[in-house]
Amino acid sequence: AVYLYEQALKTAGKQYFLDKTPRYYLIIPELCRIFPKAKFVFLIRNPLSVLSSIIETNFKGNWRGLFLRDRQHDILSAPQLILQGIEHLGEKAAIVHYEALVTEPERTVRTLCQQIGLQFEPAMLKYGNKVRFESSALVDPKSIYKHQGPVTDYVEQWKTRFDTSQKLYFARKYLAELGPEVIRNLGYSYDELMEELNSLDRKSVV
């Protein structure tokens, strides 16, 4: 892995290599052991946003796809494993909340740069060189070409996606499965999220 990263850096003429994939949550201790000098950035989002995004992006609104084993890990195993990874990594872990990133991008990215030892540059807040992603199936096409920087358009989009009593019931069961402690440690309020779902359910009945 180090050899491959070094070759990529030489080709690009860069100093740092960013390796990102969501399912690294499964092997955080191993990554820490293999790359002892690495910095680890955890981008955390409201669990209900994650759930609704997976349903819409991967299964076109068909929530039954969540019963696939890999997706069960993504929504049930990942939150606890991420929290365990953050605790394991200690000061090597930098935590960024999606909601803070899109509402206060400069402040959030400046803080992140300080944590991982990088010089902040305003260009970090702009989506440049997007042309190289056009032929890639690994980039979510929904918004990467719509915007030039972080936007708040999608922070509460999950509320529009849980639009039936069945989906709302499923979302409440999901929150209950994660539990108040995990939700709180992720940086969110279990009670507030549950009340949001209850409020949406009351509106759907009306």
Side-chain angles (χ1 to χ4, degrees):
V2 171
Y3 173 80
L4 292 174
Y5 293 164
E6 288 178 347
Q7 296 307 305
L9 289 173
K10 289 178 182 179
T11 301
K14 302 297 182 180
Q15 185 178 359
Y16 299 102
F17 190 95
L18 172 64
D19 193 348
K20 177 263 181 185
T21 182
R23 288 189 182 137
Y24 276 162
Y25 66 74
L26 291 166
I27 54 170
I28 295 173
E30 290 84 352
L31 290 173
C32 183
R33 186 175 69 252
I34 295 170
F35 303 106
K37 296 181 181 180
K39 302 290 187 179
F40 293 80
V41 180
F42 292 83
L43 179 59
I44 297 176
R45 192 174 184 180
N46 173 356
L48 292 178
S49 289
V50 175
L51 179 65
S52 72
S53 179
I54 290 175
I55 294 173
E56 291 299 318
T57 302
N58 298 96
F59 305 115
K60 309 302 181 184
N62 181 7
W63 58 269
R64 293 174 181 83
L66 294 172
F67 291 114
L68 296 174
R69 186 176 181 184
D70 58 346
R71 290 307 179 184
Q72 288 186 43
H73 280 304
D74 289 342
I75 64 173
L76 295 175
S77 304
Q80 187 62 58
L81 290 174
I82 286 171
L83 292 173
Q84 292 173 4
I86 291 171
E87 183 177 4
H88 178 82
L89 291 165
E91 62 182 18
K92 290 184 180 181
I95 302 171
V96 177
H97 282 90
Y98 168 82
E99 294 81 9
L101 180 61
V102 297
T103 55
E104 297 182 289
E106 181 170 343
R107 179 172 176 269
T108 303
V109 175
R110 280 186 181 277
T111 300
L112 174 61
C113 286
Q114 292 175 355
Q115 288 181 285
I116 62 179
L118 294 180
Q119 180 69 37
F120 172 78
E121 298 177 10
M124 292 176 175
L125 305 178
K126 300 297 181 182
Y127 302 152
N129 300 321
K130 289 185 289 188
V131 65
R132 60 181 164 175
F133 296 127
E134 288 180 355
S135 61
S136 174
L138 303 179
V139 173
D140 184 354
K142 293 197 312 299
S143 57
I144 187 67
Y145 303 115
K146 287 183 180 179
H147 310 292
Q148 295 299 313
V151 296
T152 59
D153 300 26
Y154 310 104
V155 172
E156 297 191 344
Q157 192 176 47
W158 63 271
K159 296 180 182 179
T160 65
R161 290 173 170 172
F162 294 118
D163 54 0
T164 67
S165 294
Q166 185 182 41
K167 290 179 181 178
L168 287 164
Y169 174 80
F170 186 84
R172 282 195 293 267
K173 295 292 287 186
Y174 174 58
L175 279 188
E177 181 68 24
L178 292 182
E181 184 177 0
V182 167
I183 300 296
R184 182 178 65 252
N185 290 337
L186 288 172
Y188 302 91
S189 168
Y190 177 89
D191 291 337
E192 289 179 7
L193 291 178
M194 193 64 81
E195 177 52 36
E196 288 271 18
L197 291 174
N198 291 336
S199 177
L200 291 172
D201 204 9
R202 289 192 290 270
K203 291 179 182 178
S204 69
V205 172
V206 174

